[in-house]
Amino acid sequence: MSRQDELGSVAHNINHMAEQLQQQLEKERQIEQSKMELITYVSHDLRTPLTSIIGYLDLLKTPKCQNEAERARFINNAYNKTQQLKKLIDDLFEYTRLTDGDIRLSFQEVDYHNLVKQIISEFEPVANEQQITILQDISPMPLLVHMDIEKMVRAIDNLLMNALKFSIRPGEIKVHLTAHVQEEQVILSIENVGKPISLEQEHQLFERFYKTEPFRYEYNTPTGSGLGLSIAKHIVELHGGRIWLEHDEGHYKFYMEIKKIHPL
């Protein structure tokens, strides 16, 4: 090899090393920025219900608070805020566990058909209180699916709660469960009608901490952490599946596909 070729090879290697170093620095910068965003969002979301709780407790401590009905209302409001705070903390804990790269799933063989029906039966009273009817179209064929039950229940709950928060009242949430045995796939879809969003908002829905306002606040639906759909996405992908949205002028249909199914 000529001296010129050797110099060219050295220069190429130096450039390659410089590019790798630049990529590593950019990755570290993004990680640091991500950490700062996490702290900022969490601090804001935790501060809001905590401030309300402190406010209600201060009111309860004042001598002027003598009316029992008023005291009961303050206690109930404070309790609701503590539940919201707990949900925020639970979501944050779950999100960090799912994204730390060392999560271990506990897979079991589960009848997906019965699991979905059970989740819906537990969800219906909450929906009925907010004038939402649950319509089911679930394949009658039992399906044995390998899944982490606890995490998959969390994912489905998050999709149902998302549909509830953003539905027009009175309204309906339609749940479909279909199987494609030949392709070893089962697809769960949850659809509702709500306020239309932009294409840009569609692309951001599964990002962490992304939130849009519930359709109507008078139904006392909390805004949540903005982690629900992101958590659902991580859970489904950990199961080797995928999750996506089809949206058309306020008609939302979320799909959750899981592979490796077997007929009983």
Side-chain angles (χ1 to χ4, degrees):
M1 181 181 292
S2 68
R3 185 174 180 81
Q4 186 174 358
D5 289 339
E6 290 178 354
L7 290 174
S9 179
V10 169
H12 175 75
N13 289 334
I14 290 174
N15 289 336
H16 180 65
M17 290 173 60
E19 289 176 2
Q20 286 186 318
L21 179 60
Q22 183 63 36
Q23 290 174 0
Q24 182 63 30
L25 291 172
E26 178 62 23
K27 183 178 180 180
E28 291 177 358
R29 186 192 68 79
Q30 291 177 353
I31 291 174
E32 187 63 28
Q33 181 180 349
S34 180
K35 288 180 180 178
M36 294 304 298
E37 289 176 353
L38 180 65
I39 293 171
T40 300
Y41 281 115
V42 170
S43 298
H44 176 270
D45 282 346
L46 295 182
R47 186 189 302 118
T48 303
L50 185 58
T51 300
S52 295
I53 293 168
I54 293 171
Y56 286 122
L57 292 178
D58 282 341
L59 289 171
L60 289 167
K61 287 170 60 179
T62 60
K64 295 181 180 179
C65 185
Q66 302 294 333
N67 186 300
E68 285 302 317
E70 192 174 59
R71 286 176 60 86
R73 180 167 61 87
F74 290 160
I75 291 171
N76 184 64
N77 289 344
Y79 175 78
N80 289 338
K81 291 298 179 181
T82 61
Q83 293 301 104
Q84 183 181 351
L85 190 60
K86 181 180 182 300
K87 178 67 166 57
L88 291 170
I89 294 171
D90 288 346
D91 281 351
L92 178 62
F93 180 69
E94 184 70 15
Y95 178 81
T96 54
R97 287 181 59 206
L98 290 170
T99 57
D100 68 0
D102 193 31
I103 184 71
R104 293 185 179 180
L105 301 184
S106 177
F107 284 97
Q108 301 178 53
E109 290 187 343
V110 183
D111 183 357
Y112 198 29
H113 165 270
N114 285 340
L115 180 66
V116 172
K117 291 186 76 69
Q118 180 181 339
I119 294 172
I120 292 173
S121 68
E122 295 173 358
F123 185 77
E124 278 182 319
V126 179
N128 291 337
E129 285 181 0
Q130 301 198 31
Q131 301 183 36
I132 298 295
T133 303
I134 308 295
L135 302 179
Q136 303 181 42
D137 181 13
I138 297 179
S139 171
M141 180 179 65
L143 300 169
L144 199 62
V145 182
H146 289 87
M147 66 169 66
D148 184 307
I149 300 176
E150 179 184 351
K151 288 184 171 52
M152 191 55 66
V153 168
R154 180 69 177 269
I156 297 171
D157 276 343
N158 286 357
L159 289 178
L160 285 170
M161 185 56 68
N162 180 78
L164 177 63
K165 286 181 180 179
F166 299 98
S167 286
I168 296 173
R169 273 76 162 177
E172 299 174 342
I173 294 176
K174 299 179 182 178
V175 181
H176 304 263
L177 180 64
T178 56
H180 302 282
V181 179
Q182 294 83 357
E183 301 175 9
E184 295 193 339
Q185 294 173 337
V186 60
I187 298 177
L188 175 71
S189 67
I190 297 175
E191 58 181 305
N192 69 291
V193 176
K195 181 180 179 180
I197 58 175
S198 67
L199 187 61
E200 181 182 0
Q201 287 175 309
E202 285 185 41
H203 294 158
Q204 292 178 299
L205 278 183
F206 291 101
E207 293 182 7
R208 69 178 191 186
F209 301 118
Y210 180 76
K211 292 186 285 188
T212 59
E213 293 184 352
F215 187 74
R216 296 175 70 180
Y217 283 109
E218 58 264 35
Y219 288 96
N220 298 318
T221 306
T223 57
S225 64
L227 290 172
L229 291 179
S230 181
I231 288 172
K233 182 174 183 289
H234 277 86
I235 290 173
V236 173
E237 290 178 349
L238 285 170
H239 282 76
R242 64 191 183 108
I243 189 170
W244 71 96
L245 166 68
E246 291 181 359
H247 168 247
D248 182 23
E249 295 298 323
H251 180 238
Y252 297 84
K253 194 168 186 178
F254 285 87
Y255 292 88
M256 191 172 78
E257 178 186 86
I258 302 176
K259 300 179 181 178
K260 298 180 182 178
I261 67 170
H262 308 277
L264 287 172

